[in-house]
Amino acid sequence: MANPIRVAVTGAAGNISYSILFRLASGAIFGPDRPVHLKLLEIPPAMKALNGVVMELNDCAFPTLAGIDITDKAETAFDGVNWAILVGSKPRGPGMERGDLIRENGPIFVGQGKALNKAASDVRCIVVGNPCNTNCLIAMKNSDVGNDRFSAMMRLDQNRAQSLLAEKSGRTVKEVTNMVIWGNHSNNQYPDCENVRIGGKPATEVIGDKEWLLGDFIKTVQNRGADVIKARGASSAASAANAALDHLLSLARPTAAGDWFSAAVCSDGQYGVDKELIFGYPLTSPGDGTWKVVEGLPMSDWAKGKFEKVLNELREEREFVKGLL
Ligand code: NAD
Ligand code: LMR
């Protein structure tokens, strides 16, 4: 067997991680021939629960699980890892916006950015903990492993959008391609209904109901996290875990020709976004962890209005955390 791939997961005793870890360990993500070594980070009060998760992982007797380390020290968790999935942080409750979590969760990513710095030279870091774009910005600015190694998760929004469009058009999810969620993982995100395709054709042609596309479709994707919280009494977990792994795989496997995927990455000014904001873009990857922004997508004036709104929101979040950058 090949050398183990080393994956750090923070908040490892939490709800999302409970749906991530078993899939990582089972070989479902990196394949049956690639052993996985898990490095799990928690805060001291959650170490007992984490021990229980480790018992369960061991009890699965996964042939691909090469080892598990648990720790409450970020530097130990990140030491030598290839991937770091940063989940550990507080979820929002009913009536809160994701941005309301900045004050509590932002500081976590200062320490973790610094720890990545010391421990990991060849790491790809995926930020899930909310507000994930700005937490990612904080981790990136506190680290020197390289801005291109950080990304934040827009994939749950992409998956939600694809699923809604498949249902509305009566087509399969696989036929819905080229879905980009611009900007922020917030209720101001802009799920692009002008560039998405269904069966290779513009969704605007396939779905005659333009009012739905510009109205209910966008609102449903924007508010889905809050709707799940209202219904479940808890933040999305299984679908978030699934999206985190989809995000990882989109970086670890080549993007299908002509398609793209959504993730928030460090802007280099593409589409007029301020440099270094962590902005949701259409991306492609050759499958080695690197990515490129797809440039030149057209946008109507109506779409530009949505784009500007979410861009301004990210600027405000950056201003709010400037003391942490
Ligand atoms: P949870 O409360 O079930 O688990 C979070 C875990 O993180 C807990 O076990 C906690 O002990 C741990 N933790 C807290 N501070 C930590 C630190 N400094 N270091 C390591 N671990 C720490 O929450 P959850 O449902 O798993 O959600 C986690 C985060 O993911 C929340 O911020 C939530 O809003 C976010 N989320 C993001 C998306 C997205 O699309 N980006 C989707 C769903 C949830
Ligand atoms: C989601 O989109 O489900 C998560 O970000 C959780 C939340 O707070 O909405």
Side-chain angles (χ1 to χ4, degrees):
M1 271 215 186
N3 279 340
I5 191 148
R6 295 160 77 85
V7 186
V9 180
T10 75
N15 284 309
I16 294 178
S17 295
Y18 196 68
S19 287
I20 287 185
L21 295 175
F22 295 84
R23 284 177 68 190
L24 284 173
S26 71
I29 303 305
F30 296 107
D33 299 322
R34 193 74 203 262
V36 176
H37 189 118
L38 294 174
K39 311 222 354 142
L40 308 181
L41 180 70
E42 259 299 350
I43 50 174
M47 290 308 278
K48 181 166 174 252
L50 184 55
N51 271 309
V53 176
V54 171
M55 287 180 212
E56 284 203 79
L57 281 163
N58 285 327
D59 293 349
C60 291
F62 291 124
T64 41
L65 182 55
I68 310 173
D69 300 329
I70 65 170
T71 176
D72 59 7
K73 307 269 178 308
E75 279 170 31
T76 309
F78 298 149
D79 192 9
V81 295
N82 307 102
W83 295 92
I85 309 178
L86 307 192
V87 182
S89 53
K90 225 181 142 169
R92 66 171 161 159
M96 290 169 76
E97 289 305 332
R98 298 180 186 99
D100 297 337
L101 295 166
I102 287 188
R103 201 182 298 275
E104 277 186 79
N105 287 343
I108 294 173
F109 294 85
V110 174
Q112 294 191 351
K114 290 187 165 61
L116 275 163
N117 227 11
K118 288 197 187 141
S121 60
D122 180 28
V123 65
R124 304 275 160 193
C125 178
I126 301 170
V127 180
V128 175
N130 277 322
C132 62
N133 299 58
T134 296
N135 288 338
C136 183
L137 175 69
I138 295 169
M140 181 185 86
K141 293 293 281 179
N142 282 281
S143 174
D144 61 16
V145 295
N147 291 0
D148 59 331
R149 287 171 178 272
F150 287 86
S151 56
M153 191 166 100
M154 309 292 290
R155 187 50 164 269
L156 185 50
D157 310 298
Q158 176 188 327
N159 288 349
R160 287 166 172 164
Q162 282 181 276
S163 168
L164 283 169
L165 291 172
E167 190 188 351
K168 180 78 175 175
S169 61
R171 308 290 279 268
T172 62
V173 164
K174 213 173 160 199
E175 288 177 281
V176 182
T177 61
N178 303 84
M179 185 73 240
V180 52
I181 311 289
W182 296 99
N184 199 5
H185 175 62
S186 75
N187 64 355
N188 286 313
Q189 65 184 261
Y190 170 46
D192 188 333
C193 50
E194 295 177 344
N195 286 297
V196 61
R197 297 186 153 253
I198 304 177
K201 295 192 179 135
T204 43
E205 266 177 37
V206 178
I207 295 176
D209 189 350
K210 197 169 173 202
E211 198 183 319
W212 178 84
L213 258 184
L214 270 52
D216 279 356
F217 163 64
I218 292 180
K219 272 204 205 91
T220 304
V221 181
Q222 289 173 328
N223 294 314
R224 188 63 148 207
D227 289 342
V228 169
I229 291 171
K230 234 184 269 165
R232 237 171 65 84
S235 174
S236 64
S239 57
N242 178 65
L245 295 171
D246 281 351
H247 176 127
L248 185 157
L249 284 174
S250 287
L251 292 168
R253 290 182 185 162
T255 312
D259 202 359
W260 55 71
F261 61 95
S262 295
V265 293
C266 179
S267 170
D268 193 29
Q270 297 95 335
Y271 294 92
V273 173
D274 316 22
K275 283 195 177 199
E276 291 198 337
L277 272 186
I278 304 291
F279 198 84
Y281 279 123
L283 303 182
T284 58
S285 173
D288 58 0
T290 65
W291 47 263
K292 245 195 190 139
V293 174
V294 178
E295 299 203 56
L297 294 187
M299 245 181 246
S300 65
D301 286 344
W302 173 85
K304 283 181 190 154
K306 302 255 169 222
F307 189 98
E308 277 304 307
K309 185 170 181 189
V310 74
L311 173 56
N312 282 329
E313 179 182 55
L314 278 169
R315 288 175 175 145
E316 281 163 24
E317 287 188 15
R318 178 184 57 195
E319 181 60 21
F320 189 81
V321 300
K322 65 178 183 223
L324 302 178
L325 302 179

